[in-house]
């Protein structure tokens, strides 16, 4: 008998009607002969409602009390889904994070899973029960306090349970039906991938493809859990996120993504002395500003330009801060530009194929798209470009790399 | 240092504004130098919203899943109140039922408290913290499942905590400011009682004075917890529910109450043979129909009339059922009357004063109110009368017993 972990997000359980539909999907899986554990999020809108309540009391709320309030959203969902399954004649039982021994650290509102003891899950499965588990929440054993994993944590809950219980697969049901080679709203002929490696999925997740939460993919990779991304609303094949294999390497580029929530800051004529970059980026980190790409130009006459990207929401704060820093380190000027976007190509095949980055630059140049910054990893190449070219860039890169396929010489 | 347990109901925490007001009341108590534990209910309307969600899935819901869903209401309240106290600069911490070791039996949706381990409460109090505890919920240790105590269970939670933690007093804040000698909407000169015994309070609670939940009074009586009933909205003296003392015995009648939610059924010409009453009332119990007063007339010629009262909501079902029973036992007829009410006088002084019941009957007679049924206990006398005389009866009894006072010869 195989064990399947299924996960349904907030929109999938957004109403009583939808909860009944989820119950049907779960029941079908059970009927097929599988042992089943289901993880669910709070009903759509509920988490926001709860966050607003505590914010109304204090916008700078205490994370422990935040967790106490917000974790109730999932608790309601599991009770309702278990009830829906029981009403259909299935033996189901709901569990909160503490009941299944979902042990986390004590970092309230963004806790990390340490381990899952899972006794009650094992017992309930042995009795033939369908287990319905609250996503997003755990318990910090040193205090007995309820913790939450941070937004999107239900994906992570599901994958962690699959790892701990040695499930055959973790199925994540979402409002898309899989992982595509590009955003289908931009690229009409984007294709759904049958399979993708954890590494590629991580790059795609952090690059703005909102299918799976990054931490859940990291968890899957660490414990070798096969993750299947499927549609909540239609029954059709999805995308399997799994270990890299020979097949995947044949495909050089698995996906093309873009991220418009980026802004660029350039500090000009920075005195080129050891420790100066550290000084700048430590100061930004101290103010909780996340820096993504960093480019430092070659130094001329003891001066250098340093450019980097931040999230658009951080731009104002980062700009002000950099002006102060520039004064202190005697740089000449600070330029800010929010009309930029990052386009990226991702693929494990890039590791074994030379010339992929060059081909990307050439493709953009042929379409008169100027490249402002470049950043690369083993399986990814990203370029910062003028925002107005975003869709064009994604389309031409998708045409060149995904449709033409393996023609890199 | 004294320990005070405070309890606020759903209307008292019905909005963020009201929660902030409760926080002020709690903070003031702390400022006065007391150790403080606060118990709260779910925000007004929230419990009904949650019950409706699960009922929408299945009106015959599973009580375990019901508890899972419904117990979240109090969890939200405690997080919000603890946050409000913290925002005011007070060190506060919220606890669910399982976190304070509120051990109950496994009777989901109507669980009874077995004991409170309370380690975390003791620790938090030692650290000078205000403890904010979820009312209405506990945990069944054999399974680790969340239980609820049934509606109104937050009163019981508060009194049980006061007993377990040896608090000096348990203060119940409600939307009335104490216990009155009669309903002030009926009797203009009803007086607020400074003190009342547990036994009297129990009779009043079960007779329709909705100030305190009966089980909480039973708990207070069992463990000798002083319960103070106070207004949530105004700061003025309330009513102390405590052990019977000499003072109380001097007052013969503490209160006059009425209950209009009553209906009377009479089965006429029942064959008078052993076991016939058992047969009737067992059948009613099997159908979950609660019978209150029972009167059996003297038998004439081997036949007797049996009358009893039920809640008005049960009248239709009870009437149908009695018609079947009457056929089976060969009684002649079944009469139903919902235009009745029960008026009662309650007081520990009745134990040591003869003639109180007779004086009640005489007072009603003097006002041309016919008595249909009579039932008495050590500290209570109840009469069933025509519903239209209810307010009149309460007023004349209040005038006679409460205003005139101790003039029973």
């Amino acid at each position: 008998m195989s064990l399947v972990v299924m996960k349904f997000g907030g929109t999938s359980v957004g109403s009583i009607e939808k909860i009944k539909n989820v119950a049907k999907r779960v029941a079908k899986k059970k009927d097929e002969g599988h042992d089943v554990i289901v993880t669910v999020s709070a009903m759509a809108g509920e988490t926001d409602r709860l966050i607003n309540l505590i914010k109304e009391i204090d916008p700078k709320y205490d994370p422990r009390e935040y967790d106490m309030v917000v974790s109730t959203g999932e608790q309601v969902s599991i009770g309702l889904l278990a009830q829906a399954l029981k009403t259909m004649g299935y033996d189901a039982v709901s569990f909160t994070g503490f009941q299944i021994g979902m042990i986390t650290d004590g970092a309230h509102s963004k806790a990390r899973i340490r381990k899952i003891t899972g006794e009650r899950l094992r017992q309930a499965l042995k009795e033939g029960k369908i287990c319905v588990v609250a996503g997003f929440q755990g318990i910090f054993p040193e205090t007995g306090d309820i913790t939450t994993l941070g937004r999107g944590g239900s994906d992570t809950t599901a994958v962690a349970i699959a790892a701990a219980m040695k499930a055959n697969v973790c199925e994540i049901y979402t409002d898309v039906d899989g992982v595509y080679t590009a955003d289908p709203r931009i690229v009409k002929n984007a294709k759904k991938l049958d399979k993708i490696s954890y590494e590629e999925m991580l790059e795609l997740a952090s690059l703005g493809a909102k299918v799976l939460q990054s931490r859940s993919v990291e968890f899957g990779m660490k414990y070798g859990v096969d993750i299947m991304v499927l549609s909540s609303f239609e029954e059709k094949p999805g995308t399997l996120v799994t270990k890299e294999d020979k097949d995947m390497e044949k495909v050089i580029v698995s996906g093309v993504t873009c991220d418009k929530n980026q802004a660029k800051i350039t500090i000009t004529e920075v005195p080129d002395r050891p420790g100066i970059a550290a000084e700048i980026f430590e100061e930004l980190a101290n103010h909780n500003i996340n820096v993504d790409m960093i480019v430092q130009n070659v130094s001329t006459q003891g001066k250098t330009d340093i450019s980097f990207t931040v999230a658009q929401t951080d731009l104002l704060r980062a700009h002000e801060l950099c002006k102060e820093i520039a004064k202190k380190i005697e740089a000449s000027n600070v330029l800010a530009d929010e009309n930029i976007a990052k386009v990226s190509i991702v693929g494990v095949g890039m590791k074994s194929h030379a010339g992929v980055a060059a081909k990307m630059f050439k493709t953009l140049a042929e379409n008169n798209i100027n490249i402002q910054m470049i950043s690369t990893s083993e399986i990814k190449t990203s370029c910062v470009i003028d925002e107005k070219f975003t869709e064009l860039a994604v389309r031409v890169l998708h045409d060149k790399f995904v449709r033409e396929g393996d023609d890199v010489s």
Side-chain angles (χ1 to χ4, degrees), chain A:
Chain A
M1 184 118 82
S2 75
L3 172 62
V4 177
V5 175
M6 305 172 85
K7 183 259 166 178
F8 293 88
T11 29
S12 307
V13 294
S15 68
I16 297 297
E17 213 41 52
K18 285 181 176 176
I19 288 173
K20 287 181 181 171
N21 282 333
V22 166
K24 281 180 203 148
R25 292 293 289 264
V26 173
K28 196 175 169 214
K29 189 67 66 177
K30 180 76 182 166
D31 288 343
E32 286 165 11
H34 302 285
D35 277 342
V36 182
I37 300 172
V38 204
T39 322
V40 283
S41 305
M43 294 172 80
E46 184 61 8
T47 302
D48 285 334
R49 184 182 76 86
L50 294 165
I51 291 175
N52 286 337
L53 280 176
I54 193 159
K55 274 193 179 164
E56 213 182 308
I57 292 179
D58 195 340
K60 294 191 297 285
Y61 49 76
D62 179 271
R64 182 194 181 275
E65 300 306 334
Y66 168 96
D67 283 354
M68 183 64 95
V69 171
V70 173
S71 61
T72 60
E74 282 70 22
Q75 191 174 326
V76 171
S77 297
I78 56 171
L80 295 178
L81 179 55
Q83 182 60 58
L85 284 160
K86 282 184 169 169
T87 302
M88 288 169 65
Y90 289 81
D91 196 4
V93 58
S94 65
F95 294 120
T96 62
F98 90 85
Q99 288 174 333
I100 64 155
M102 172 68 71
I103 308 294
T104 72
D105 61 18
H108 283 289
S109 85
K110 48 179 193 294
R112 299 186 80 93
I113 298 170
R114 279 189 196 155
K115 67 167 180 185
I116 300 171
T117 59
E119 287 98 13
R120 292 200 69 184
L121 285 177
R122 269 183 288 276
Q123 183 58 33
L125 289 175
K126 205 193 280 176
E127 293 164 4
K129 291 189 166 81
I130 298 172
C131 299
V132 184
V133 178
F136 175 67
Q137 62 178 240
I139 192 152
F140 179 50
E142 278 83 338
T143 59
D145 285 342
I146 296 169
T147 54
T148 68
L149 309 179
R151 303 255 17 199
S154 290
D155 285 355
T156 311
T157 302
V159 177
I161 290 174
M165 303 297 294
K166 300 187 175 33
N168 300 68
V169 64
C170 179
E171 298 180 346
I172 308 278
Y173 292 81
T174 69
D175 41 14
V176 298
D177 61 358
V179 182
Y180 278 75
T181 52
D183 185 338
R185 285 168 304 182
I186 298 176
V187 179
K188 287 233 170 61
N189 51 15
K191 293 181 297 185
K192 186 162 65 184
L193 294 162
D194 297 330
K195 248 199 303 199
I196 187 172
S197 71
Y198 299 117
E199 291 83 354
E200 288 168 315
M201 193 64 221
L202 274 178
E203 291 287 5
L204 291 174
S206 64
L207 293 172
K210 296 175 194 84
V211 180
L212 274 182
Q213 215 240 345
S214 297
R215 279 167 64 196
S216 70
V217 183
E218 285 166 16
F219 236 97
M221 182 159 69
K222 188 167 171 192
Y223 295 100
V225 177
D226 280 352
I227 304 172
M228 182 71 90
V229 178
L230 293 156
S231 163
S232 297
F233 307 109
E234 297 171 278
E235 296 205 32
K236 56 181 183 182
T239 299
L240 181 66
V241 186
T242 186
K243 273 194 210 42
E244 187 183 324
D245 65 22
K246 289 282 169 211
D247 280 358
M248 292 179 188
E249 280 170 35
K250 284 190 206 142
V251 182
I252 298 161
V253 171
S254 298
V256 180
T257 62
C258 60
D259 182 358
K260 291 184 177 182
N261 177 32
Q262 293 273 324
K264 185 177 71 167
I265 289 182
T266 304
I267 309 181
T268 59
E269 296 191 285
V270 176
D272 192 11
R273 55 176 160 79
I276 199 103
E279 211 169 311
I280 296 170
F281 294 108
E282 256 173 34
E283 193 65 18
L284 287 160
N286 288 342
H287 287 77
N288 266 320
I289 294 167
N290 238 341
V291 171
D292 180 14
M293 290 165 69
I294 300 174
V295 172
Q296 180 174 348
N297 289 356
V298 174
S299 171
T300 53
Q301 299 167 328
K303 301 270 183 180
T304 183
D305 292 348
I306 295 181
S307 293
F308 56 89
T309 58
V310 295
Q312 249 173 40
T313 44
D314 285 339
L315 180 63
L316 267 180
R317 282 167 58 230
H319 194 188
E320 288 308 307
L321 193 63
C322 285
K323 282 186 203 161
E324 288 172 34
I325 298 172
K327 202 174 284 175
K328 216 166 53 186
I329 62 176
E330 298 177 329
S332 73
N333 208 353
V334 180
L335 310 169
D337 182 2
E338 54 180 334
N339 297 318
I340 61 149
K342 183 167 72 170
V343 289
S344 311
I345 55 175
V346 173
V348 291
M350 289 166 72
K351 283 194 247 183
S352 47
H353 289 78
V356 178
K359 189 178 172 185
M360 180 183 187
F361 306 152
K362 191 170 162 225
T363 306
L364 292 174
E366 281 168 2
N367 289 277
N368 292 317
I369 300 169
N370 192 36
I371 298 169
Q372 302 180 16
M373 293 170 80
I374 295 168
S375 143
T376 61
S377 79
E378 255 197 316
I379 63 165
K380 181 201 72 174
T381 305
S382 300
C383 296
V384 169
I385 59 170
D386 189 328
E387 190 179 12
K388 70 183 174 202
F389 295 124
T390 311
E391 288 77 10
L392 175 64
V394 170
R395 284 185 201 115
V396 297
L397 291 172
H398 190 266
D399 271 4
K400 184 60 86 181
F401 287 100
V402 184
R403 289 190 66 202
E404 293 187 3
D406 306 348
D407 67 343
V408 174
S409 55

